[in-house]
Amino acid sequence: MSFLRSDTPADLVKHLLLIVVLVGALVFGFFQVYLPITTNHGETIVVPKVTGMNQADLEDYLDERNLDYLVDDSTYNSGIKPGTVLQQEPKAGEQVKEGRKIYVTVSMKNPPVIKMPKLTDGSVKNAQMILKSYDLVVGQLKFVPNILKDAVLRQSVNGKEIAAGDPITKGTRVDLEVGDGLGNQEFPVPNLVNMPADEATTLLVGQGLQVGEIFYEPAPNGEADGMVIKQRPVPGAGSTIRMGQLVDLWVAGSGPLKGVD
């Protein structure tokens, strides 16, 4: 009678050790032999500087260095030659593997078309900031009679008014008509002499005029303190004034009275 042979504990240990050795050899071979061969492990290339180059020269230049490129963005700048490389990623000096793509941004030949922003009804300072943010150029500032001081009244290109939302190319020069704060309506200079200074200033404001300088001096004819004894411009004789202009006052007394600035 025969019996099936069974492995002893020592044999099992030998088998397990053999399996561990084989697995370790496979892992070592995969990471230290196979991967380095297939991925050119340790073989890197220093990225050259390509910003400032022309896109037409990139292919040959990078091909000689076992690199490639891809244009992933473009922008317009009137002062830069079209096709010039403006940015690159990875940056110059970084180390990459052979065949790596260099992503570049190049300058456009033609400026992009955008929508004209609304500048009217706002201040000229705000309009200048908006134009700059849209890559548009501030053209001529023409000040015209209007009580709205420094307000943009009209926006135009080459003498033709352009509405908000109309197409316009970046870099276009936009001219602005701006209010001078005076207006174009003329009327006779109001007579403020012998009027209390507080009433005179109220009258000026009500007529769209501005109170200029106020001078205090002794009354020449015994007028009461606080009375207007002289003004500039002088009323009468067909003298006129426009809205927004200044009127200077001479007031009797040695200084401001209560309620009079």
Side-chain angles (χ1 to χ4, degrees):
M1 180 182 231
S2 61
F3 296 89
L4 291 175
R5 181 183 173 187
S6 61
D7 291 335
T8 65
D11 293 332
L12 291 176
V13 171
K14 290 180 181 179
H15 292 159
L16 288 175
L17 288 175
L18 180 61
I19 293 172
V20 169
V21 170
L22 290 175
V23 171
L26 289 174
V27 172
F28 179 84
F30 179 79
F31 286 102
Q32 299 300 321
V33 179
Y34 176 76
L35 281 183
I37 292 175
T38 58
T39 62
N40 296 322
H41 181 69
E43 298 179 15
T44 59
I45 300 173
V46 177
V47 177
K49 179 183 177 182
V50 296
T51 54
M53 293 182 59
N54 192 283
Q55 181 185 349
D57 302 325
L58 278 184
E59 185 170 355
D60 291 340
Y61 181 78
L62 292 177
D63 187 59
E64 292 175 356
R65 290 157 176 79
N66 296 320
L67 295 170
D68 199 359
Y69 82 95
L70 178 68
V71 177
D72 69 341
D73 197 8
S74 58
T75 184
Y76 177 76
N77 189 315
S78 59
I80 298 179
K81 184 179 178 180
T84 301
V85 178
L86 303 176
Q87 297 178 7
Q88 68 177 84
E89 183 60 40
K91 306 294 184 186
E94 295 186 21
Q95 292 190 342
V96 298
K97 296 197 189 251
E98 291 184 358
R100 172 69 185 270
K101 279 188 172 65
I102 308 299
Y103 296 91
V104 297
T105 299
V106 299
S107 59
M108 299 172 61
K109 180 178 181 180
N110 298 314
V113 178
I114 58 175
K115 290 184 178 180
M116 177 66 195
K118 185 178 186 297
L119 307 175
T120 53
D121 300 329
S123 70
V124 64
K125 184 177 181 180
N126 187 57
Q128 291 171 320
M129 294 173 60
I130 293 175
L131 288 175
K132 184 177 180 181
S133 68
Y134 277 73
D135 290 332
L136 297 170
V137 180
V138 180
Q140 180 185 13
L141 298 181
K142 181 180 180 182
F143 289 86
V144 297
N146 194 286
I147 193 173
L148 299 175
K149 182 175 176 58
D150 294 332
V152 177
L153 308 174
R154 186 171 179 265
Q155 55 194 37
S156 60
V157 174
N158 296 326
K160 184 178 180 181
E161 187 167 4
I162 181 170
D166 285 353
I168 185 173
T169 56
K170 286 189 175 183
T172 300
R173 185 177 298 272
V174 180
D175 300 323
L176 303 175
E177 283 191 7
V178 183
D180 61 6
L182 300 178
N184 54 8
Q185 181 180 357
E186 292 189 354
F187 51 90
V189 176
N191 187 356
L192 309 173
V193 177
N194 295 324
M195 183 181 295
D198 56 347
E199 293 182 15
T201 55
T202 301
L203 177 63
L204 289 175
V205 174
Q207 294 191 2
L209 300 171
Q210 299 185 58
V211 179
E213 294 189 77
I214 298 179
F215 305 95
Y216 293 91
E217 59 182 43
N221 300 311
E223 292 89 350
D225 287 351
M227 299 295 289
V228 176
I229 57 179
K230 189 168 55 174
Q231 70 179 80
R232 182 175 57 203
V234 178
S239 61
T240 59
I241 194 171
R242 287 193 301 171
M243 294 181 68
Q245 287 188 303
L246 298 172
V247 178
D248 298 328
L249 303 176
W250 279 259
V251 179
S254 59
L257 299 176
K258 184 177 181 181
V260 180
D261 295 328

